């Protein structure tokens, strides 16, 4: 399990690096949006490329940052139900969710999107808008984002199994929006 925990830390490091990098993409999208609006209003000049790069950057933030969000426990949960469950039960539900739903969904999305990326690259597909951008880079964000999410899912799976074996801290006690509830549940679990 020690080797798997080291692998988990490496994956977490990659997710952290990608997640922190995507923060800069939000700034870039905001600056491009502001510059485009100023150019359009002040000088009556605009470009479809500026509009498209904004949604390319949004796609990058959303897709490439998903693994980081999972690592931080900041993804959507049904806390009303989860907070009433024992910590062990919550961890088991996470394990089942990762194995049965998340990893297969990531595999499906990579498998489904890769031919689109390849075809767009080979054909040199370009946006149909005047002055539009090439399409394969934005298409490539789909398999890349789901590959990063799948890697982080493996890391989370390792951490949850290690926690159940008493070899790692509770992965639900950091990040996210339910930290207080998770700590409360962990304290209650410790007394049982």
């Amino acid at each position: 399990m020690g080797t798997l925990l080291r692998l988990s830390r490496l994956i977490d490091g990659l997710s952290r690096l990608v997640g922190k990098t995507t923060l800069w993409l939000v700034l870039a999208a905001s600056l491009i949006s502001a510059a485009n609006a100023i150019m359009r209003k002040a000088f009556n000049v605009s470009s479809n490329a500026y509009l498209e790069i904004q949604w390319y950057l949004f796609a990058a933030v959303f897709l490439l940052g998903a693994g980081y969000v999972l690592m931080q426990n900041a993804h959507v949960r049904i806390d009303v139900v989860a907070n009433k469950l024992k910590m062990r039960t919550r961890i088991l539900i996470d394990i089942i969710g990762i194995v049965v739903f998340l990893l297969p969904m990531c595999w499906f999305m990579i498998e489904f999107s890769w031919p689109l990326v390849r075809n767009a690259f080979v054909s040199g597909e370009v946006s149909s808008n005047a002055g539009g951008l090439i399409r394969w880079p934005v298409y490539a964000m789909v398999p890349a984002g789901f590959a990063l999410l799948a890697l982080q899912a493996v890391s989370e799976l390792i951490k949850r199994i290690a926690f159940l074996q008493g070899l790692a801290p509770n992965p639900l006690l950091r990040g996210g929006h339910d930290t207080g509830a998770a700590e409360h549940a962990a304290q209650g679990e410790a007394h049982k």
Side-chain angles (χ1 to χ4, degrees):
M1 185 54 94
T3 302
L4 290 175
L5 286 170
R6 283 192 292 281
L7 174 63
S8 176
R9 284 191 292 277
L10 284 172
I11 294 170
D12 287 354
L14 174 63
S15 290
R16 192 172 294 107
L17 175 67
V18 172
K20 301 282 183 181
T21 302
T22 59
L23 292 173
W24 290 102
L25 298 180
V26 173
L27 176 63
S30 300
L31 292 174
I32 290 168
S33 177
N36 190 36
I38 291 167
M39 294 297 290
R40 188 176 62 246
K41 296 294 183 186
F43 304 107
N44 201 26
V45 175
S46 185
S47 167
N48 286 327
Y50 291 138
L51 297 173
E52 289 184 11
I53 195 69
Q54 291 172 53
W55 69 264
Y56 278 32
L57 291 170
F58 175 77
V61 169
F62 180 77
L63 289 165
L64 302 179
Y68 180 72
V69 170
L70 180 61
M71 183 184 76
Q72 294 296 319
N73 282 319
H75 54 289
V76 175
R77 289 184 181 268
I78 305 173
D79 292 336
V80 174
V81 175
N83 288 341
K84 296 182 189 306
L85 301 174
K86 292 181 181 178
M87 188 56 63
R88 182 173 177 79
T89 304
R90 291 176 69 186
I91 295 289
L92 288 171
I93 290 170
D94 278 359
I95 289 171
I96 292 167
I98 290 168
V99 171
V100 174
F101 298 108
L102 183 56
L103 286 172
M105 189 247 335
C106 289
W107 175 82
F108 173 78
M109 292 302 295
I110 293 167
E111 186 76 18
F112 179 74
S113 63
W114 186 249
L116 297 172
V117 176
R118 186 182 60 245
N119 292 341
F121 180 78
V122 169
S123 70
E125 183 180 341
V126 177
S127 170
S128 60
N129 296 320
L133 302 175
I134 56 173
R135 288 290 172 99
W136 72 263
V138 75
Y139 291 167
M141 287 182 222
V142 175
F146 279 98
L148 290 168
L149 181 59
L151 278 174
Q152 190 58 46
V154 168
S155 174
E156 296 303 314
L157 186 62
I158 292 167
K159 289 184 270 190
R160 280 154 178 76
I161 292 170
F163 170 73
L164 290 178
Q165 295 176 347
L167 301 173
N170 187 338
L172 297 179
L173 295 182
R174 61 174 166 62
H177 47 77
D178 65 344
T179 303
E183 289 172 357
H184 178 70
Q187 290 171 355
E189 190 73 23
H191 297 323
K192 291 184 181 180

